[in-house]
Amino acid sequence: MADRSKPSDGIVSAAPVPRHVAIIMDGNGRWAAERGLPRAAGHKAGVEAVRRTVKAAIELSIPCLTLYSFSSENWSRPKDEIDHLMGLMKRFIRGDLAELHQNNVKILVIGERTNVDHEMLALMDEACDLTRDNTRLTLTIAFNYGSRNEITRAAQRLAEDVAAGRLAPSEITANHFRFALDTGDLPDPDMLIRTSGERRLSNFLLWQSAYTELVFLDAYWPDFGRELLVEAISQYSARERRFGGLPRQSTA
């Protein structure tokens, strides 16, 4: 079987690189199960895939990368699995923060802060504060995140502005709403990738993905790397993004 994490030379040299790539990192458990390994081994391998993907995004000059690391629905998983995931996240921040900062990577974290332990919050805040002025890649981690919750919180912020007299209901626009979201300072994703063969958004960036190109890959997340990222970009670059308009050559 070919090594699907090796670089693929020249495939995207002439292809437009998306400004913002979002990824639903799915399939860690199934990857482990197919190898007779515990789910924890799949999550550990998934962290290595994160490292490969961040490196590839830097090499390919992708400005923004957003990773769905832990959803607000994931709290329903067994406690030992959640504890393992939290531990992996903490070790990733502690072990990789210095290198990410050295590589000029800016880290953002989106999602709710409730139910998250103080140590995790402190580590995330440290990562965001240290890298806030970096410009090479904006790496956004969606942690304890759910899009419906995000949209609800955005509506509440605008309602508070209306109640305080800072904004009239008739003045609220889609642009107001966009900047009330957790991702307000980011461009909408040009491409959203989901691994593992599943074909749904799973409550991820629902507002932001209105015109996003969706790419579904059969590979499990622990197998993801530069080659599969290039493959996804090749699919993206072959499409014509019309944003509700007509094809470029159409005169109808």
Side-chain angles (χ1 to χ4, degrees):
M1 182 179 293
D3 182 356
R4 294 177 66 76
S5 65
K6 289 182 180 178
S8 180
D9 294 331
I11 294 179
V12 295
S13 58
V17 175
R19 289 183 307 163
H20 185 178
V21 175
I23 306 179
I24 299 174
M25 306 180 294
D26 194 18
N28 290 350
R30 279 166 284 172
W31 180 92
E34 288 186 4
R35 289 158 177 77
L37 300 171
R39 289 178 62 85
H43 293 313
K44 184 177 180 181
V47 173
E48 293 304 316
V50 169
R51 293 189 174 105
R52 290 194 300 269
T53 303
V54 171
K55 180 181 178 182
I58 292 171
E59 292 172 349
L60 297 169
S61 299
I62 296 171
C64 300
L65 176 66
T66 298
L67 303 178
Y68 201 9
S69 67
F70 191 85
S71 79
S72 52
E73 289 83 13
N74 286 155
W75 293 108
S76 63
R77 295 187 177 188
K79 185 178 183 302
D80 59 344
E81 182 173 354
I82 292 174
D83 290 344
H84 180 71
L85 287 167
M86 296 300 114
L88 284 174
M89 181 74 169
K90 292 173 183 177
R91 286 194 292 275
F92 175 78
I93 295 174
R94 291 191 183 102
D96 291 62
L97 179 57
E99 183 176 355
L100 290 168
H101 184 43
Q102 185 177 7
N103 286 323
N104 200 16
V105 175
K106 178 180 180 177
I107 298 173
L108 297 177
V109 179
I110 61 173
E112 277 272 57
R113 293 171 68 92
T114 55
N115 298 324
V116 181
D117 70 64
H118 295 300
E119 181 185 9
M120 179 69 81
L121 290 174
L123 285 169
M124 292 191 298
D125 288 345
E126 177 188 354
C128 294
D129 290 343
L130 178 66
T131 64
R132 69 171 62 252
D133 296 323
N134 292 344
T135 57
R136 190 174 187 183
L137 169 70
T138 298
L139 173 62
T140 303
I141 305 298
F143 182 83
N144 194 24
Y145 173 87
S147 190
R148 287 179 173 178
N149 175 271
E150 176 193 28
I151 291 169
T152 300
R153 287 187 284 108
Q156 289 170 344
R157 292 187 188 109
L158 292 177
E160 289 170 0
D161 286 342
V162 170
R166 294 187 293 267
L167 188 67
S170 60
E171 294 175 332
I172 297 175
T173 64
N175 211 39
H176 279 104
F177 207 92
R178 172 196 165 190
F179 283 103
L181 294 167
D182 294 352
T183 56
D185 292 331
L186 295 172
D188 288 341
D190 298 295
M191 175 175 67
L192 187 151
I193 303 167
R194 181 169 187 150
T195 57
S196 86
E198 303 291 348
R199 284 159 170 75
R200 57 181 177 272
L201 293 179
S202 294
N203 200 20
F204 183 51
L205 301 180
L206 300 180
W207 175 281
Q208 299 88 335
S209 298
Y211 286 100
T212 297
E213 296 295 327
L214 308 179
V215 177
F216 299 108
L217 301 176
D218 290 332
Y220 296 135
W221 175 248
D223 292 324
F224 198 86
R226 189 184 194 278
E227 182 178 351
L228 286 172
L229 180 57
V230 166
E231 179 182 320
I233 293 173
S234 295
Q235 289 190 38
Y236 162 83
S237 65
R239 302 177 186 178
E240 183 178 351
R241 305 186 73 201
R242 299 196 297 272
F243 300 97
L246 294 173
R248 291 174 188 166
Q249 296 181 359
S250 174
T251 58

